[in-house]
Amino acid sequence: MPVAHILASCMGGIRTTGDLVAWMQMTRKMRLNEAKQYVADKLGIKVIDLIDEEIMRPLREELGIGTLVAIPGAEKGILAKNKIAKLLNIEINSVKLFQSKLK
Amino acid sequence: MSKTIRTRMGDGELVMMSAGEIKADILEGSKDAADRGKIPELSANELDQLYNIIAEPGRIVSVNPGEEVIVIDDGSVLGFISEQGDSGAGLPLSRSQAILTYEKACGADTVLMPHHDFSYKPVKSIINYEMQDYYSTSQLTTIPLFYGAQPNMGLYYKPDGPCDNPSELLPLGKIKEAKQAQIDAAAMMEDDIVYIFKELNRVGLEGLNLDTCGSAGDADFMSALNVCVEVKKINPNMPVVIGMASEFVLGMHGEVEFDGQRLAGMYPHDQVIVAEKAGADIFGPAINVNSSKSIPWNLSRAVTFVKATSEASAIPIHANVGMGVCGIPMLEESAIDCVTRASKALIQIGKVDGL
């Protein structure tokens, strides 16, 4: 059932920008359109491009914020989230813990 | 009129209906929500829009490019690894593997780490295991990783818990005792969930989902709201999702309040206001499905309630769209024709921020 919702209406997670828009709803209580605009501004793209794999696939690799396709040596997991927190200027608890261990 | 449009009943039974029958059910469903919730009915344009979604000939439907929303979940990974009780496929995967599969193979926006019982109380006794599993998994996930379960206050009543059972006390006329049992259970549940939160917070918890709030009535909902307040005191930046058990807060106690508001009898457009005051970041309304009525009737009713909730809210609204709520049939293997139509209708007409 969740897969049916994902296909019908989901932003696409790390295929595109679903995780980034979700972070803005979670950390700033942003409604959907505000969250999309915020993320688009941070990425320097149009809102409609947020769900375009052709744009987001290389952009996510370039920014080091994780890609759906596994790229050997590229950022993923906590390393990608570390860059996402910086890109979006938000606090992510797991990243905060990770950074505290690097000191 | 010929019955040419394929749709379903609330229990999932496939039925063929005429355009007139569907339009009549849509109108009736919206009126029912409006009457119960004292909220506006859908407009004529919205009724037409909903009819067009339901009558679309395609097997599945979807939103237009640019209308996509955030899809969060309440334990989707159990669908991979659990059994029939969770509509699970029983795959021999670990919970972490299922989480990563959901992220990578399904393209989910967020993911939730669930306890198999999906209640907070059993988590307490295995909290170290949950902390380790959450910590390890959060190093691997890129999308937001929630931890979540139901508050489920019923587990605090005898024979499962220490408190006297209000369902046994009330028929005996022991009203005062039944109310006190609920207050006692609510306090114990609040302590347990806050304890679990504190431990998970220490290992980098990214978000807490309080799912199916109010399942044991108004005291259950009150306790969940109090948990949210405490969580925000401990970590003001911790994202909290409050999702509901049903459209109406049952007055099992009848007099408990939050922020001066009596909780019993609240519908979603009022529930979201108290959730906001408690500090919730995302609110999930759950509109009941009547399995004897058609999906056009049920979906129209859900959209009417959810639209009013979205308009009343200052925080993101993620409608609950699991089995048996918000226009999804009460069917173990949910029919994707209805699932996708609920998605589209709740987004385009209900104006949700997510599902």
Side-chain angles (χ1 to χ4, degrees), chain A residues 14 56-57 60-61 65-71 74-75, chain B residues 104:
Chain A
I14 57 172
M56 286 311 304
R57 163 63 182 81
R60 287 195 75 112
E61 183 179 2
I65 55 174
T67 54
L68 187 119
V69 174
I71 303 168
E75 295 88 344
Chain B
K104 295 281 191 180

Side-chain angles (χ1 to χ4, degrees), chain B residues 72-78 86 95 99 110-123 127 130 134 144-152 193 196-197 200 205-213 238-243:
Chain B
I72 63 173
D73 72 290
D74 57 356
S76 291
V77 300
L78 292 177
D86 295 311
R95 186 169 53 168
I99 286 170
T110 73
V111 62
L112 179 145
M113 176 177 278
H115 179 265
H116 279 269
D117 186 76
F118 212 62
S119 298
Y120 277 103
K121 187 184 172 200
V123 175
I127 186 63
E130 294 298 86
Y134 184 92
L145 177 62
F146 285 95
Y147 189 90
Q150 299 178 51
N152 199 356
I193 302 176
I196 291 161
F197 163 71
L200 290 168
L205 180 68
E206 296 170 0
L208 187 73
N209 191 326
L210 302 169
D211 186 65
T212 323
C213 295
M238 178 57 56
V240 178
V241 178
I242 290 184

Side-chain angles (χ1 to χ4, degrees), chain B residues 90-297:
Chain B
L91 298 175
L93 298 170
S94 73
R95 186 169 53 168
S96 293
Q97 288 169 328
I99 286 170
L100 292 169
T101 302
Y102 189 54
E103 172 184 87
K104 295 281 191 180
C106 301
D109 290 329
T110 73
V111 62
L112 179 145
M113 176 177 278
H115 179 265
H116 279 269
D117 186 76
F118 212 62
S119 298
Y120 277 103
K121 187 184 172 200
V123 175
K124 191 176 180 184
S125 55
I126 56 162
I127 186 63
N128 286 348
Y129 174 81
E130 294 298 86
M131 289 166 70
Q132 180 55 47
D133 212 16
Y134 184 92
Y135 178 65
S136 298
T137 308
S138 70
Q139 305 300 298
L140 302 173
T141 49
T142 302
I143 62 175
L145 177 62
F146 285 95
Y147 189 90
Q150 299 178 51
N152 199 356
M153 201 170 81
L155 292 182
Y156 291 83
Y157 298 140
K158 292 176 183 173
D160 298 314
C163 301
D164 288 332
N165 196 321
S167 296
E168 292 175 355
L169 293 168
L170 286 169
L172 299 173
K174 295 183 175 180
I175 309 296
K176 189 178 165 189
E177 291 85 350
K179 286 183 171 180
Q180 189 56 49
Q182 292 177 67
I183 296 300
D184 293 344
M188 289 178 191
M189 184 169 86
E190 187 180 323
D191 285 350
D192 283 353
I193 302 176
V194 169
Y195 169 79
I196 291 161
F197 163 71
K198 282 179 180 172
E199 296 299 279
L200 290 168
N201 187 44
R202 288 201 296 124
V203 295
L205 180 68
E206 296 170 0
L208 187 73
N209 191 326
L210 302 169
D211 186 65
T212 323
C213 295
S215 62
D218 46 352
D220 181 306
F221 186 34
M222 176 192 72
S223 182
L225 294 167
N226 289 337
V227 167
C228 187
V229 170
E230 288 305 309
V231 164
K232 292 289 183 176
K233 281 181 191 168
I234 296 161
N235 184 347
N237 296 321
M238 178 57 56
V240 178
V241 178
I242 290 184
M244 295 303 293
S246 65
E247 67 195 34
F248 180 79
V249 179
L250 291 172
M252 292 295 288
H253 184 287
E255 293 177 331
V256 294
E257 296 182 348
F258 182 84
D259 195 43
Q261 298 284 312
R262 196 175 78 147
L263 300 177
M266 276 189 176
Y267 278 100
H269 58 288
D270 292 324
Q271 296 162 10
V272 70
I273 303 301
V274 289
E276 267 180 55
K277 286 189 176 166
D281 300 276
I282 293 171
F283 176 74
I287 313 305
N288 306 354
V289 160
N290 182 335
S291 58
S292 300
K293 296 279 192 177
S294 72
I295 284 300
W297 185 91

Side-chain angles (χ1 to χ4, degrees), chain A:
Chain A
M1 179 163 44
V3 174
H5 285 302
I6 286 170
L7 290 173
S9 58
C10 172
M11 288 205 66
I14 57 172
R15 289 174 65 85
T16 53
T17 55
D19 57 330
L20 308 181
V21 175
W23 280 121
M24 299 322 299
Q25 290 194 345
M26 292 165 61
T27 60
R28 303 270 180 89
K29 305 180 196 283
M30 286 183 180
R31 301 296 299 261
L32 182 66
N33 291 339
E34 185 188 5
K36 285 183 176 179
Q37 188 65 58
Y38 183 91
V39 172
D41 289 346
K42 290 290 183 186
L43 294 171
I45 62 175
K46 295 176 191 168
V47 170
I48 192 66
D49 293 335
L50 291 173
I51 44 90
D52 187 344
E53 290 90 341
E54 196 265 337
I55 289 174
M56 286 311 304
R57 163 63 182 81
L59 186 53
R60 287 195 75 112
E61 183 179 2
E62 179 190 329
L63 295 172
I65 55 174
T67 54
L68 187 119
V69 174
I71 303 168
E75 295 88 344
K76 62 180 184 177
I78 195 71
L79 290 174
K81 280 187 283 200
N82 187 45
K83 292 201 169 181
I84 288 170
K86 285 179 185 163
L87 172 73
L88 299 178
N89 190 27
I90 57 173
E91 181 180 304
I92 299 176
N93 203 29
S94 60
V95 170
K96 197 173 157 190
L97 178 66
F98 171 71
Q99 288 171 341
S100 74
K101 302 292 181 190
L102 294 175
K103 290 174 184 170

